[in-house]
C-alpha cells in the first residue's frame, strides 16, 4: 500500500503542475491614435494585454531640440479585460488624477537630472515633437525608478500640417515668419506676438495656419537687427507689419487680426486702438496699460508702467513672485500709461487665468471692460478661467507653474494649477479661432 501511494503521488505531481500552470501571459501593448498628428489635437491612448486589475504606471518621455529630457507619469489599474483607455479610465496618482486623456502631455516637466523651471516649447515648427509612451509594472512615484517596461509606443506631434508654407520675412523694418495655409486663399490674416521673452516664437502661428489663417509670427525685440532689449517701442513698426499682412495677396480684407500673450497682448491692445488696419484683437493675460517700455506713435507717447523690485517676494526655494510689483494702473499718477481702448472700432477677446501670478490680469481685464462700457461700448468678450495661470497656450502645451525669466535670469511664478490650466488652453483655443473667423471672415 505504501508503494502504491508513493507511485500514485509521483504520478500526480506532474499532473498537478500541469493543472496549476497559469495560462500563457498575454503580451501587453500600448496604442496611440493618431500615431502622427497635430499638436493641438487629442491623442487616444489605449493599453491592452494586461492582467485584470493589474497596477501600471504610464510614463511619457520627450526631449526638446537641445536634448533636455521631460517626463510625466500617472498610475492606472487595468479593467476586468486587462485593458486601459485614457479617455475613460481615471489616474489614481502620479502627476495628476482623474480622467485626463491628455494628462501625460500637459504634465510633462523637466526630468530629475535636468535644470528645473524649463519650458518644453518647439523652437522649430518643421519637425515633430516625439513623445514616447511607456507602460511600467506597478505604481512608481514621480522621480522614482519605475518598474519593468511591459509595453511602449511613440507618437509624433506636428505643429505644421502638410502644405503649410513658412516664409521668413525681411520686409522694410519688419522681421518674422509668415505661415500660409495650403490652397489659393484668400485667408483671414492674423499677427501673432508673445511676451517679454523676446525672439521669434512660431508654434502658435504655424498651428493657426494649419487651421486656415495667414499668420505672421512677429518678433519685436531680441531678434536679428531688432532692438536687443525692451527700452522703447514705436508703434510704426507694428503698423508696417499690419499693412504688409493686409496687402498680401493671400490675405482677406479689409482688416487683420492680432493675437498676443503678456506684453504681446498689451501691444495688441495698442494696435487695435491706434491702427485702423487691425479690427480684432485676442489678448491673453494683457495689462490695460502700457508697461515697462515707452510706446511712441506719431505725436503720442504712452509711458510704461514700471515694476518696483522692492515689492517682489522670494520663496525659500528661490522662486520670485512679482504679482504685486507692477505699479498700480488705478493710481491717477499713472493715468498717462492707460491705453485708450475706447477709441478702437474693432472687437476684443480678453483671455485671463484667474490664478495668474505674473501680474493681475483679471483686474486689468475688469479695468479694460469698465473703460469700454463707460464709453458705451460692448465690443468685447471675456474668457476667464479659474485656476489657470499666466501663459495660456494652444492645447496640451505642458503646464509650467514656475519658469525661468529671460530678462531677470531667475525662476518666476506664473501661477495656476495644472488641470485647470490645461482645460483653459483647450477651451480657449476653440473660442479664439471662432472669434477670429467671426470678425475676419
Amino acid at each position: 500500500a505504501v508503494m502504491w501511494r508513493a507511485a500514485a503521488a509521483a504520478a500526480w505531481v506532474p499532473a498537478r503542475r500541469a493543472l496549476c500552470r497559469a495560462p500563457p501571459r498575454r503580451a501587453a501593448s500600448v496604442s496611440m491614435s493618431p500615431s502622427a498628428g497635430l499638436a493641438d489635437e487629442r491623442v487616444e491612448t489605449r493599453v491592452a494585454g494586461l492582467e485584470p486589475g493589474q497596477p501600471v504606471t504610464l510614463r511619457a518621455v520627450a526631449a526638446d531640440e537641445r536634448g533636455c529630457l521631460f517626463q510625466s507619469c500617472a498610475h492606472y489599474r487595468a479593467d476586468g479585460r486587462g485593458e486601459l483607455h485614457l479617455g475613460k479610465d481615471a489616474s489614481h496618482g502620479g502627476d495628476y488624477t482623474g480622467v485626463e486623456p491628455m494628462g501625460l502631455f500637459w504634465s510633462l516637466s523637466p526630468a530629475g537630472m535636468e535644470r528645473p523651471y524649463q519650458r518644453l516649447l518647439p523652437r522649430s515648427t518643421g519637425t515633430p515633437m516625439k513623445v514616447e509612451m511607456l507602460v511600467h509594472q506597478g505604481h512608481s512615484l514621480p522621480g522614482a525608478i519605475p518598474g519593468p517596461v511591459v509595453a511602449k509606443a511613440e507618437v509624433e506631434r506636428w505643429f505644421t500640417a502638410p502644405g503649410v508654407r513658412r516664409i521668413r520675412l525681411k520686409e522694410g523694418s519688419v522681421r518674422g515668419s509668415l505661415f500660409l495655409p495650403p490652397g489659393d486663399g484668400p485667408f483671414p490674416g492674423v499677427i501673432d506676438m508673445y511676451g517679454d521673452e523676446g525672439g521669434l516664437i512660431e508654434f502658435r502661428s504655424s498651428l493657426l495656419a494649419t487651421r486656415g489663417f495667414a499668420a505672421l509670427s512677429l518678433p519685436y525685440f531680441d531678434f536679428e537687427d531688432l532692438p536687443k532689449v525692451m527700452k522703447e517701442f514705436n508703434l510704426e513698426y507694428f503698423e508696417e507689419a499690419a499693412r504688409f499682412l493686409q496687402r498680401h495677396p493671400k490675405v482677406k480684407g479689409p482688416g487683420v487680426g492680432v493675437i498676443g500673450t503678456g506684453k504681446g497682448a498689451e501691444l495688441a491692445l495698442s494696435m487695435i486702438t491706434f491702427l485702423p488696419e487691425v479690427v480684432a484683437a485676442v489678448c491673453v493675460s494683457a495689462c490695460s496699460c502700457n508697461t515697462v517700455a515707452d510706446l511712441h506713435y506719431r505725436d503720442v507717447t504712452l509711458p510704461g508702467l514700471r515694476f518696483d523690485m522692492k515689492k517682489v517676494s522670494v520663496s525659500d526655494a528661490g522662486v520670485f513672485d512679482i504679482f504685486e510689483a507692477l505699479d498700480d494702473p488705478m493710481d491717477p499718477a499713472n493715468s498717462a500709461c492707460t491705453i485708450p481702448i475706447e477709441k478702437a472700432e474693432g472687437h476684443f477677446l480678453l483671455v485671463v487665468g484667474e490664478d495668474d501670478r505674473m501680474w493681475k490680469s483679471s483686474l486689468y481685464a475688469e479695468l479694460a471692460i469698465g473703460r469700454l462700457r463707460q464709453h458705451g461700448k460692448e465690443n468685447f468678450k471675456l474668457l476667464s478661467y479659474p485656476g489657470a495661470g499666466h501663459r495660456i497656450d494652444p492645447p496640451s502645451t505642458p503646464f509650467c507653474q514656475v519658469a525661468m525669466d529671460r530678462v531677470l535670469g531667475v525662476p518666476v511664478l506664473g501661477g495656476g494649477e495644472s488641470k485647470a490650466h490645461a482645460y483653459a488652453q483647450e477651451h480657449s483655443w476653440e473660442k479664439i479661432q471662432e472669434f477670429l473667423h467671426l470678425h475676419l471672415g
Side-chain angles (χ1 to χ4, degrees), residues 25 37 75 98 114 138 176 184 229 278 295 318 331 345 403:
R25 191 182 184 91
H75 300 162
E114 303 289 358
D184 294 333
V229 295
V278 178
L295 181 68
D331 184 337
E345 295 299 324

Side-chain angles (χ1 to χ4, degrees), residues 81-387:
R81 294 169 301 186
E83 296 177 357
L84 279 175
H85 180 198
L86 268 59
K88 296 177 182 174
D89 297 319
S91 164
H92 305 292
D95 288 318
Y96 62 90
T97 57
V99 179
E100 295 291 340
M102 297 299 291
L104 286 161
F105 292 85
W106 50 250
S107 59
L108 283 162
S109 63
M113 75 288 283
E114 303 289 358
R115 284 187 300 112
Y117 312 133
Q118 298 184 76
R119 291 186 186 279
L120 178 55
L121 292 175
R123 283 168 172 75
S124 165
T125 57
T127 54
M129 182 182 292
K130 295 181 179 181
V131 181
E132 188 174 35
M133 194 68 68
L134 303 138
V135 183
H136 297 268
Q137 285 182 21
H139 287 163
S140 50
L141 294 172
I145 297 172
V149 175
V150 297
K152 63 180 178 178
E154 189 176 76
V155 65
E156 292 183 351
R157 307 281 284 161
W158 286 87
F159 293 87
T160 308
V164 169
R165 286 196 297 146
R166 173 181 178 266
I167 303 160
R168 282 297 300 275
L169 282 190
K170 265 195 169 179
E171 289 283 334
S173 65
V174 176
R175 303 291 175 261
S177 297
L178 177 63
F179 290 86
L180 294 174
D184 294 333
F187 309 103
V190 181
I191 293 170
D192 177 26
M193 300 181 295
Y194 271 94
D196 62 6
E197 60 268 65
L200 178 64
I201 301 174
E202 298 177 312
F203 75 100
R204 185 165 62 189
S205 301
S206 63
L207 286 173
L208 284 168
T210 293
R211 299 298 172 200
F213 297 93
L216 169 56
S217 183
L218 185 69
Y220 48 94
F221 78 103
D222 195 27
F223 182 73
E224 293 184 351
D225 56 355
L226 296 176
K228 282 292 167 206
V229 295
M230 290 197 300
K231 192 174 180 185
E232 60 180 358
F233 292 120
N234 292 301
L235 200 62
E236 281 83 357
Y237 172 77
F238 303 90
E239 181 176 53
E240 192 179 341
R243 287 178 176 173
F244 164 80
L245 190 62
Q246 181 194 39
R247 293 168 183 169
H248 195 283
K250 292 275 189 182
V251 172
K252 269 186 192 178
V256 298
V258 59
I259 177 171
T261 297
K263 179 66 184 178
E266 169 202 310
L267 286 164
L269 288 177
S270 292
M271 289 171 73
I272 194 171
T273 296
F274 293 106
L275 309 180
E277 296 84 1
V278 178
V279 298
V282 178
C283 305
V284 182
S285 307
C287 183
S288 50
C289 286
N290 183 56
T291 66
V292 183
D294 292 356
L295 181 68
H296 307 285
Y297 183 59
R298 297 180 182 170
D299 56 350
V300 175
T301 294
L302 297 182
L305 273 187
R306 305 297 173 183
F307 280 93
D308 182 353
M309 298 309 288
K310 293 195 291 293
K311 294 181 180 176
V312 173
S313 62
V314 185
S315 74
D316 292 341
V319 174
F320 282 57
D321 185 342
I322 64 172
F323 186 66
E324 296 288 349
L326 189 64
D327 286 347
D328 183 2
M330 293 186 289
D331 184 337
N334 296 322
S335 60
C337 303
T338 303
I339 303 166
I341 55 173
E342 69 279 1
K343 295 181 178 179
E345 295 299 324
H347 289 80
F348 300 87
L349 177 63
L350 306 174
V351 182
V352 299
E354 293 176 17
D355 193 33
D356 183 351
R357 295 293 303 181
M358 289 286 282
W359 59 19
K360 302 174 183 180
S361 52
S362 287
L363 169 65
Y364 304 151
E366 283 176 29
L367 293 176
I369 288 168
R371 189 175 182 94
L372 290 170
R373 284 188 166 149
Q374 191 182 342
H375 290 83
K377 298 216 164 189
E378 293 288 332
N379 54 339
F380 64 87
K381 185 173 181 182
L382 172 67
L383 296 176
S384 186
Y385 295 100

Side-chain angles (χ1 to χ4, degrees), residues 376-431:
K377 298 216 164 189
E378 293 288 332
N379 54 339
F380 64 87
K381 185 173 181 182
L382 172 67
L383 296 176
S384 186
Y385 295 100
H390 180 72
R391 187 163 157 164
I392 299 172
D393 276 323
S396 302
T397 301
F399 172 66
C400 195
Q401 188 182 53
V402 177
M404 195 61 68
D405 186 272
R406 195 197 70 84
V407 178
L408 299 174
V410 296
V412 173
L413 182 63
E417 180 276 318
S418 59
K419 193 183 291 193
H421 193 89
Y423 169 77
Q425 293 193 145
E426 187 161 353
H427 183 267
S428 64
W429 186 238
E430 291 299 320
K431 296 299 179 186

Side-chain angles (χ1 to χ4, degrees), residues 18-40:
L19 285 170
C20 294
R21 192 177 296 135
R25 191 182 184 91
R26 295 174 294 172
S29 64
V30 57
S31 64
M32 303 174 77
S33 177
S35 58
L38 292 167
D40 61 352

